[in-house]
Amino acid sequence: MHIPDGFLNMATVASTYTISVGGVANAVRIANKKLGEKQVPMMGVLAAFIFAAQMLNFPVAGGTSGHLIGAALAAILLGPWAAVIIMSAVLIAQSLIFQDGGLLALGANIFNMAIIASFSAYYIYRLAQSLLGDSGKGQLIGVFAASWGSVLLASIACAVELAISGASPWGVVLPAMAGVHALIGIGEGLITSAVVSLVLATRADLMRLQKI
Amino acid sequence: MRHSFLDQYSDRDSLIHRLDPRTKLVSTFLFITAVALTPPDGWVSYALYSAILAIWLMLSRVPLGYVLKRSLVVLPFVVLIAIFIPFFREGEIAGSYNLWLWQVSVTHSGIIILRNILIRAWLSVLSLILLTSTTKLPDLLRGLEQLHMPRVMVMVLSFMYRYIFVLVDEVMRMKQARDSRNFGGRRWWQIRTVGNMIGTLFIRAYERGERVYAAMMARGFDGQSRTLKRLEFKPADAYFGLSLGTLVIWGNLINLI
């Protein structure tokens, strides 16, 4: 889902950059108010965690493998604004180290995978919790739905940006991206639920951290 | 363990490596913007951009094979998204084929758009590879800070860069332990194992973050980072920046004449 340079037109680049810069600036401000100087080492180490976790592949189907995106995990464990900071750091590093995602497309990538994915995951999780209650099973269903929904919504945002830029017709890119990521989202949901169930079993206190 | 995949070649020495990171960042940004603004039939511009990249590559002494191999990173996206454009774009039909049950037709305007996206994506990713294989990430971050990226974000990024190596080592140790215990079997079982590994990694990372913070507080951390190394804007930076800027802008204006 990392858009390279060359696919987006200038209007899309400018508008997504504006939203992302504003979003990240607001996230930094909120984290600073709640965490103080602790935010720097904590967010840095947790961004490195997401980066390292993405190296673990799991089998998907037909010999292909996928890996975690991590926005939902970060949003559920630490809150949406913290997840925005962490995922933005991961995306900047991926663009600068691996050329995974372009430099002009960075604004769009942060918008999709840091802002949309984190907030959708967080609110789907909260909604599921209020519907299903705080039991272990209800929580895991909420985690699965949140991860799946965050991947799907991020991919739809990505498809909309590509279609607006004229890089691909609406009728193709929307069903293609949404279809592929509805499958990828299942993997994301299963892995994130497995992670949360381990954290619940061993360090349940980490599930009740202050959400930022 | 092995970290050779992170900013490879950035510790070498060449004319480009010695440039100020700010010069390289702004030049790359300018270059990619110019490429994105070029109209589809701007062949002269594209030729000029390729020539600029070739000179850039020669001056930086990064192996051509490495750069070309790295540029394949854009391929999955091209295959997934762009390849369909010629088939769905409406316009004058360039050719139609019978593929088993389907009648497939390709349009001229679709091919032009696809070709344009491919050239743009490729030129942009090449310049981005040249940027990162000639600049160490800490230098790049210092450059970004000087260019007014928010200070907190730069500090988060440098902490991340510091701990990527530690946590990647942790992941590799876990993988080794897993694989030596005959990992495999059913998909559900594998997914649970990977989930447990990531969960353990999270707990360890969180605890490490608390230890790091405590150690920093004990040494008087007040939310600021201070570094000794100053960035220097040298004459070479001015020459490189000016010549690249002029060429790129000229290459873009050529289409208007």
Side-chain angles (χ1 to χ4, degrees):
Chain A
M1 218 193 302
H2 294 70
I3 308 174
D5 283 323
F7 282 78
L8 298 179
N9 65 11
M10 273 303 165
T12 315
V13 166
S15 41
T16 49
Y17 249 104
T18 314
I19 300 172
S20 297
V21 167
V24 172
N26 201 33
V28 166
R29 207 173 45 79
I30 289 174
N32 204 15
K33 209 160 63 192
K34 292 199 177 160
L35 277 184
E37 69 276 2
K38 194 179 179 182
Q39 77 155 321
V40 169
M42 215 60 211
M43 296 296 130
V45 172
L46 291 174
F49 153 71
I50 296 284
F51 199 95
Q54 291 188 344
M55 291 183 60
L56 287 164
N57 290 314
F58 53 87
V60 180
T64 59
S65 67
H67 68 76
L68 198 73
I69 297 170
L73 182 62
I76 290 166
L77 290 169
L78 305 157
W81 291 108
V84 168
I85 299 180
I86 290 171
M87 292 308 292
S88 306
V90 170
L91 289 166
I92 293 171
Q94 278 172 338
S95 172
L96 290 180
I97 299 176
F98 297 117
Q99 293 79 45
D100 210 355
L103 198 60
L104 283 189
L106 190 60
N109 285 328
I110 288 182
F111 177 67
N112 302 339
M113 278 177 279
I115 297 178
I116 298 244
S118 303
F119 275 94
S120 57
Y122 184 70
Y123 285 109
I124 294 173
Y125 176 67
R126 286 276 299 273
L127 181 73
Q129 257 194 329
S130 66
L131 290 178
L132 300 167
D134 228 355
S135 67
K137 204 165 191 181
Q139 235 171 352
L140 288 186
I141 294 172
V143 169
F144 181 87
S147 323
W148 185 80
S150 76
V151 172
L152 189 71
L153 286 173
S155 78
I156 289 174
C158 175
V160 168
E161 285 149 19
L162 288 169
I164 288 177
S165 301
S168 204
W170 285 95
V172 183
V173 73
L174 209 57
M177 287 296 278
V180 168
H181 286 89
L183 288 176
I184 292 178
I186 295 177
E188 178 91 5
L190 289 176
I191 291 280
T192 312
S193 318
V195 174
V196 170
S197 78
L198 179 101
V199 174
L200 274 174
T202 53
R203 284 288 303 270
D205 57 312
L206 291 185
M207 283 300 290
R208 286 188 295 274
L209 295 171
Q210 182 197 17
K211 302 283 187 274
I212 297 159
Chain B
M1 293 190 193
R2 277 185 322 114
H3 303 298
S4 55
F5 55 89
L6 288 170
D7 47 8
Q8 218 178 343
Y9 294 109
S10 63
D11 53 349
R12 293 201 172 179
D13 187 41
S14 79
L15 197 70
I16 304 286
H17 285 80
R18 282 194 297 270
L19 288 177
D20 190 296
R22 284 170 292 179
T23 315
K24 287 183 269 189
L25 266 168
V26 173
S27 306
T28 310
F29 206 85
L30 194 69
F31 184 86
I32 297 178
T33 312
V35 169
L37 286 173
T38 307
D41 50 353
W43 289 112
V44 188
S45 314
Y46 284 139
L48 187 73
Y49 299 148
S50 315
I52 295 174
L53 275 183
I55 295 170
W56 200 337
L57 180 77
M58 267 183 337
L59 288 176
S60 65
R61 290 200 229 148
V62 177
L64 177 66
Y66 166 78
V67 173
L68 290 180
K69 212 170 95 191
R70 276 304 278 276
S71 71
L72 294 181
V73 72
V74 295
L75 260 188
F77 213 81
V78 169
V79 170
L80 189 69
I81 302 297
I83 214 78
F84 298 108
I85 301 168
F87 303 105
F88 288 90
R89 187 87 192 171
E90 281 165 23
E92 189 191 337
I93 294 191
S96 61
Y97 314 92
N98 280 311
L99 283 179
W100 194 41
L101 289 175
W102 288 285
Q103 165 87 21
V104 176
S105 48
V106 175
T107 59
H108 272 302
S109 61
I111 291 179
I112 290 173
I113 292 181
L114 173 65
R115 193 182 60 196
N116 199 36
I117 285 182
L118 286 183
I119 295 174
R120 281 179 185 175
W122 198 54
L123 287 175
S124 309
V125 81
L126 285 177
S127 71
L128 201 53
I129 293 170
L130 280 178
L131 171 70
T132 41
S133 49
T134 58
T135 322
K136 293 191 196 102
L137 200 73
D139 291 336
L140 211 55
L141 292 178
R142 207 167 294 135
L144 281 173
E145 188 181 358
Q146 298 280 318
L147 294 169
H148 299 294
M149 189 194 232
R151 216 185 149 75
V152 174
M153 206 58 211
V154 175
M155 278 162 67
V156 169
L157 277 165
S158 32
F159 266 92
M160 174 190 181
Y161 184 68
R162 165 70 185 78
Y163 286 100
I164 278 175
F165 297 96
V166 178
L167 292 182
V168 166
D169 260 355
E170 194 102 50
V171 164
M172 285 179 170
R173 277 199 298 277
M174 282 180 176
K175 264 179 153 169
Q176 203 167 36
R178 176 193 73 184
D179 294 340
S180 58
R181 283 165 180 76
N182 202 9
F183 177 61
R186 286 181 302 127
R187 187 172 299 154
W188 174 238
W189 176 251
Q190 290 191 30
I191 284 180
R192 270 198 44 198
T193 309
V194 173
N196 287 345
M197 288 166 76
I198 294 176
T200 310
L201 191 69
F202 169 73
I203 294 171
R204 289 185 189 169
Y206 190 84
E207 286 172 349
R208 187 183 292 278
E210 301 222 291
R211 284 200 304 278
V212 169
Y213 174 63
M216 285 166 67
M217 287 307 275
R219 285 159 183 78
F221 177 64
D222 59 354
Q224 298 294 318
S225 76
R226 297 171 182 83
T227 48
L228 280 176
K229 202 176 158 193
R230 294 267 176 274
L231 294 178
E232 255 186 293
F233 200 75
K234 295 180 287 291
D237 290 300
Y239 296 142
F240 181 83
L242 277 178
S243 47
L244 186 123
T246 328
L247 277 174
V248 163
I249 291 169
W250 182 60
N252 220 305
L253 290 181
I254 252 178
N255 298 299
L256 300 178
I257 303 164

mmCIF file with all atom_site columns, all heavy atoms in Angstrom, chain B residues 169-181:
data_model
loop_
_atom_site.group_PDB
_atom_site.id
_atom_site.type_symbol
_atom_site.label_atom_id
_atom_site.label_alt_id
_atom_site.label_comp_id
_atom_site.label_asym_id
_atom_site.label_entity_id
_atom_site.label_seq_id
_atom_site.pdbx_PDB_ins_code
_atom_site.Cartn_x
_atom_site.Cartn_y
_atom_site.Cartn_z
_atom_site.occupancy
_atom_site.B_iso_or_equiv
_atom_site.pdbx_formal_charge
_atom_site.auth_seq_id
_atom_site.auth_comp_id
_atom_site.auth_asym_id
_atom_site.auth_atom_id
_atom_site.pdbx_PDB_model_num
ATOM 1   N N   . ASP B 1 169 ? 17.926 -7.311  15.998 1.00 0.00 ? 169 ASP B N   1
ATOM 2   C CA  . ASP B 1 169 ? 18.698 -8.401  16.592 1.00 0.00 ? 169 ASP B CA  1
ATOM 3   C C   . ASP B 1 169 ? 17.804 -9.312  17.416 1.00 0.00 ? 169 ASP B C   1
ATOM 4   O O   . ASP B 1 169 ? 17.887 -10.531 17.335 1.00 0.00 ? 169 ASP B O   1
ATOM 5   C CB  . ASP B 1 169 ? 19.778 -7.822  17.513 1.00 0.00 ? 169 ASP B CB  1
ATOM 6   C CG  . ASP B 1 169 ? 21.129 -7.797  16.831 1.00 0.00 ? 169 ASP B CG  1
ATOM 7   O OD1 . ASP B 1 169 ? 21.216 -8.311  15.701 1.00 0.00 ? 169 ASP B OD1 1
ATOM 8   O OD2 . ASP B 1 169 ? 22.076 -7.253  17.414 1.00 0.00 ? 169 ASP B OD2 1
ATOM 9   N N   . GLU B 1 170 ? 16.936 -8.686  18.207 1.00 0.00 ? 170 GLU B N   1
ATOM 10  C CA  . GLU B 1 170 ? 16.004 -9.440  19.049 1.00 0.00 ? 170 GLU B CA  1
ATOM 11  C C   . GLU B 1 170 ? 15.130 -10.350 18.170 1.00 0.00 ? 170 GLU B C   1
ATOM 12  O O   . GLU B 1 170 ? 14.945 -11.521 18.467 1.00 0.00 ? 170 GLU B O   1
ATOM 13  C CB  . GLU B 1 170 ? 15.127 -8.430  19.800 1.00 0.00 ? 170 GLU B CB  1
ATOM 14  C CG  . GLU B 1 170 ? 14.352 -8.986  20.933 1.00 0.00 ? 170 GLU B CG  1
ATOM 15  C CD  . GLU B 1 170 ? 14.994 -8.664  22.275 1.00 0.00 ? 170 GLU B CD  1
ATOM 16  O OE1 . GLU B 1 170 ? 15.322 -7.500  22.522 1.00 0.00 ? 170 GLU B OE1 1
ATOM 17  O OE2 . GLU B 1 170 ? 15.152 -9.596  23.063 1.00 0.00 ? 170 GLU B OE2 1
ATOM 18  N N   . VAL B 1 171 ? 14.602 -9.774  17.074 1.00 0.00 ? 171 VAL B N   1
ATOM 19  C CA  . VAL B 1 171 ? 13.759 -10.557 16.165 1.00 0.00 ? 171 VAL B CA  1
ATOM 20  C C   . VAL B 1 171 ? 14.549 -11.708 15.568 1.00 0.00 ? 171 VAL B C   1
ATOM 21  O O   . VAL B 1 171 ? 14.056 -12.836 15.472 1.00 0.00 ? 171 VAL B O   1
ATOM 22  C CB  . VAL B 1 171 ? 13.203 -9.656  15.047 1.00 0.00 ? 171 VAL B CB  1
ATOM 23  C CG1 . VAL B 1 171 ? 12.669 -10.485 13.898 1.00 0.00 ? 171 VAL B CG1 1
ATOM 24  C CG2 . VAL B 1 171 ? 12.100 -8.778  15.587 1.00 0.00 ? 171 VAL B CG2 1
ATOM 25  N N   . MET B 1 172 ? 15.799 -11.453 15.172 1.00 0.00 ? 172 MET B N   1
ATOM 26  C CA  . MET B 1 172 ? 16.588 -12.514 14.551 1.00 0.00 ? 172 MET B CA  1
ATOM 27  C C   . MET B 1 172 ? 16.887 -13.639 15.535 1.00 0.00 ? 172 MET B C   1
ATOM 28  O O   . MET B 1 172 ? 16.862 -14.812 15.170 1.00 0.00 ? 172 MET B O   1
ATOM 29  C CB  . MET B 1 172 ? 17.880 -11.929 13.978 1.00 0.00 ? 172 MET B CB  1
ATOM 30  C CG  . MET B 1 172 ? 17.617 -11.155 12.695 1.00 0.00 ? 172 MET B CG  1
ATOM 31  S SD  . MET B 1 172 ? 19.138 -10.450 12.075 1.00 0.00 ? 172 MET B SD  1
ATOM 32  C CE  . MET B 1 172 ? 18.581 -9.884  10.460 1.00 0.00 ? 172 MET B CE  1
ATOM 33  N N   . ARG B 1 173 ? 17.151 -13.267 16.796 1.00 0.00 ? 173 ARG B N   1
ATOM 34  C CA  . ARG B 1 173 ? 17.366 -14.311 17.812 1.00 0.00 ? 173 ARG B CA  1
ATOM 35  C C   . ARG B 1 173 ? 16.112 -15.156 17.996 1.00 0.00 ? 173 ARG B C   1
ATOM 36  O O   . ARG B 1 173 ? 16.157 -16.371 18.066 1.00 0.00 ? 173 ARG B O   1
ATOM 37  C CB  . ARG B 1 173 ? 17.752 -13.677 19.145 1.00 0.00 ? 173 ARG B CB  1
ATOM 38  C CG  . ARG B 1 173 ? 19.214 -13.347 19.265 1.00 0.00 ? 173 ARG B CG  1
ATOM 39  C CD  . ARG B 1 173 ? 19.603 -13.164 20.727 1.00 0.00 ? 173 ARG B CD  1
ATOM 40  N NE  . ARG B 1 173 ? 18.915 -12.074 21.370 1.00 0.00 ? 173 ARG B NE  1
ATOM 41  C CZ  . ARG B 1 173 ? 19.305 -10.802 21.295 1.00 0.00 ? 173 ARG B CZ  1
ATOM 42  N NH1 . ARG B 1 173 ? 20.374 -10.491 20.595 1.00 0.00 ? 173 ARG B NH1 1
ATOM 43  N NH2 . ARG B 1 173 ? 18.646 -9.854  21.901 1.00 0.00 ? 173 ARG B NH2 1
ATOM 44  N N   . MET B 1 174 ? 14.943 -14.466 18.052 1.00 0.00 ? 174 MET B N   1
ATOM 45  C CA  . MET B 1 174 ? 13.676 -15.201 18.215 1.00 0.00 ? 174 MET B CA  1
ATOM 46  C C   . MET B 1 174 ? 13.437 -16.134 17.034 1.00 0.00 ? 174 MET B C   1
ATOM 47  O O   . MET B 1 174 ? 12.996 -17.267 17.206 1.00 0.00 ? 174 MET B O   1
ATOM 48  C CB  . MET B 1 174 ? 12.515 -14.220 18.281 1.00 0.00 ? 174 MET B CB  1
ATOM 49  C CG  . MET B 1 174 ? 12.334 -13.525 19.589 1.00 0.00 ? 174 MET B CG  1
ATOM 50  S SD  . MET B 1 174 ? 10.902 -12.467 19.346 1.00 0.00 ? 174 MET B SD  1
ATOM 51  C CE  . MET B 1 174 ? 10.691 -11.814 20.923 1.00 0.00 ? 174 MET B CE  1
ATOM 52  N N   . LYS B 1 175 ? 13.728 -15.622 15.822 1.00 0.00 ? 175 LYS B N   1
ATOM 53  C CA  . LYS B 1 175 ? 13.516 -16.435 14.628 1.00 0.00 ? 175 LYS B CA  1
ATOM 54  C C   . LYS B 1 175 ? 14.393 -17.671 14.660 1.00 0.00 ? 175 LYS B C   1
ATOM 55  O O   . LYS B 1 175 ? 13.944 -18.771 14.329 1.00 0.00 ? 175 LYS B O   1
ATOM 56  C CB  . LYS B 1 175 ? 13.876 -15.629 13.377 1.00 0.00 ? 175 LYS B CB  1
ATOM 57  C CG  . LYS B 1 175 ? 12.711 -14.950 12.697 1.00 0.00 ? 175 LYS B CG  1
ATOM 58  C CD  . LYS B 1 175 ? 13.271 -14.194 11.519 1.00 0.00 ? 175 LYS B CD  1
ATOM 59  C CE  . LYS B 1 175 ? 12.305 -13.996 10.408 1.00 0.00 ? 175 LYS B CE  1
ATOM 60  N NZ  . LYS B 1 175 ? 12.844 -13.037 9.431  1.00 0.00 ? 175 LYS B NZ  1
ATOM 61  N N   . GLN B 1 176 ? 15.648 -17.476 15.083 1.00 0.00 ? 176 GLN B N   1
ATOM 62  C CA  . GLN B 1 176 ? 16.576 -18.594 15.154 1.00 0.00 ? 176 GLN B CA  1
ATOM 63  C C   . GLN B 1 176 ? 16.057 -19.640 16.152 1.00 0.00 ? 176 GLN B C   1
ATOM 64  O O   . GLN B 1 176 ? 16.043 -20.829 15.860 1.00 0.00 ? 176 GLN B O   1
ATOM 65  C CB  . GLN B 1 176 ? 17.932 -18.073 15.613 1.00 0.00 ? 176 GLN B CB  1
ATOM 66  C CG  . GLN B 1 176 ? 19.098 -18.940 15.224 1.00 0.00 ? 176 GLN B CG  1
ATOM 67  C CD  . GLN B 1 176 ? 20.399 -18.207 15.432 1.00 0.00 ? 176 GLN B CD  1
ATOM 68  O OE1 . GLN B 1 176 ? 20.531 -17.432 16.376 1.00 0.00 ? 176 GLN B OE1 1
ATOM 69  N NE2 . GLN B 1 176 ? 21.363 -18.435 14.567 1.00 0.00 ? 176 GLN B NE2 1
ATOM 70  N N   . ALA B 1 177 ? 15.597 -19.150 17.300 1.00 0.00 ? 177 ALA B N   1
ATOM 71  C CA  . ALA B 1 177 ? 15.080 -20.067 18.312 1.00 0.00 ? 177 ALA B CA  1
ATOM 72  C C   . ALA B 1 177 ? 13.862 -20.813 17.781 1.00 0.00 ? 177 ALA B C   1
ATOM 73  O O   . ALA B 1 177 ? 13.710 -22.026 17.976 1.00 0.00 ? 177 ALA B O   1
ATOM 74  C CB  . ALA B 1 177 ? 14.717 -19.288 19.572 1.00 0.00 ? 177 ALA B CB  1
ATOM 75  N N   . ARG B 1 178 ? 12.979 -20.086 17.064 1.00 0.00 ? 178 ARG B N   1
ATOM 76  C CA  . ARG B 1 178 ? 11.775 -20.694 16.524 1.00 0.00 ? 178 ARG B CA  1
ATOM 77  C C   . ARG B 1 178 ? 12.130 -21.754 15.486 1.00 0.00 ? 178 ARG B C   1
ATOM 78  O O   . ARG B 1 178 ? 11.636 -22.872 15.526 1.00 0.00 ? 178 ARG B O   1
ATOM 79  C CB  . ARG B 1 178 ? 10.915 -19.599 15.891 1.00 0.00 ? 178 ARG B CB  1
ATOM 80  C CG  . ARG B 1 178 ? 9.686  -20.111 15.203 1.00 0.00 ? 178 ARG B CG  1
ATOM 81  C CD  . ARG B 1 178 ? 9.066  -19.035 14.350 1.00 0.00 ? 178 ARG B CD  1
ATOM 82  N NE  . ARG B 1 178 ? 9.874  -18.788 13.150 1.00 0.00 ? 178 ARG B NE  1
ATOM 83  C CZ  . ARG B 1 178 ? 9.605  -17.851 12.259 1.00 0.00 ? 178 ARG B CZ  1
ATOM 84  N NH1 . ARG B 1 178 ? 8.574  -17.063 12.417 1.00 0.00 ? 178 ARG B NH1 1
ATOM 85  N NH2 . ARG B 1 178 ? 10.360 -17.697 11.195 1.00 0.00 ? 178 ARG B NH2 1
ATOM 86  N N   . ASP B 1 179 ? 13.021 -21.375 14.552 1.00 0.00 ? 179 ASP B N   1
ATOM 87  C CA  . ASP B 1 179 ? 13.331 -22.298 13.462 1.00 0.00 ? 179 ASP B CA  1
ATOM 88  C C   . ASP B 1 179 ? 14.066 -23.539 13.962 1.00 0.00 ? 179 ASP B C   1
ATOM 89  O O   . ASP B 1 179 ? 13.923 -24.613 13.385 1.00 0.00 ? 179 ASP B O   1
ATOM 90  C CB  . ASP B 1 179 ? 14.163 -21.592 12.391 1.00 0.00 ? 179 ASP B CB  1
ATOM 91  C CG  . ASP B 1 179 ? 13.364 -20.497 11.711 1.00 0.00 ? 179 ASP B CG  1
ATOM 92  O OD1 . ASP B 1 179 ? 12.113 -20.565 11.792 1.00 0.00 ? 179 ASP B OD1 1
ATOM 93  O OD2 . ASP B 1 179 ? 13.965 -19.585 11.125 1.00 0.00 ? 179 ASP B OD2 1
ATOM 94  N N   . SER B 1 180 ? 14.863 -23.396 15.041 1.00 0.00 ? 180 SER B N   1
ATOM 95  C CA  . SER B 1 180 ? 15.562 -24.580 15.539 1.00 0.00 ? 180 SER B CA  1
ATOM 96  C C   . SER B 1 180 ? 14.624 -25.485 16.310 1.00 0.00 ? 180 SER B C   1
ATOM 97  O O   . SER B 1 180 ? 14.979 -26.583 16.691 1.00 0.00 ? 180 SER B O   1
ATOM 98  C CB  . SER B 1 180 ? 16.745 -24.163 16.407 1.00 0.00 ? 180 SER B CB  1
ATOM 99  O OG  . SER B 1 180 ? 16.281 -23.376 17.469 1.00 0.00 ? 180 SER B OG  1
ATOM 100 N N   . ARG B 1 181 ? 13.379 -25.026 16.553 1.00 0.00 ? 181 ARG B N   1
ATOM 101 C CA  . ARG B 1 181 ? 12.390 -25.896 17.206 1.00 0.00 ? 181 ARG B CA  1
ATOM 102 C C   . ARG B 1 181 ? 11.399 -26.449 16.202 1.00 0.00 ? 181 ARG B C   1
ATOM 103 O O   . ARG B 1 181 ? 10.261 -26.735 16.538 1.00 0.00 ? 181 ARG B O   1
ATOM 104 C CB  . ARG B 1 181 ? 11.656 -25.120 18.295 1.00 0.00 ? 181 ARG B CB  1
ATOM 105 C CG  . ARG B 1 181 ? 12.484 -24.956 19.552 1.00 0.00 ? 181 ARG B CG  1
ATOM 106 C CD  . ARG B 1 181 ? 11.880 -23.898 20.435 1.00 0.00 ? 181 ARG B CD  1
ATOM 107 N NE  . ARG B 1 181 ? 12.640 -23.712 21.657 1.00 0.00 ? 181 ARG B NE  1
ATOM 108 C CZ  . ARG B 1 181 ? 13.792 -23.057 21.720 1.00 0.00 ? 181 ARG B CZ  1
ATOM 109 N NH1 . ARG B 1 181 ? 14.314 -22.521 20.633 1.00 0.00 ? 181 ARG B NH1 1
ATOM 110 N NH2 . ARG B 1 181 ? 14.420 -22.923 22.867 1.00 0.00 ? 181 ARG B NH2 1
#
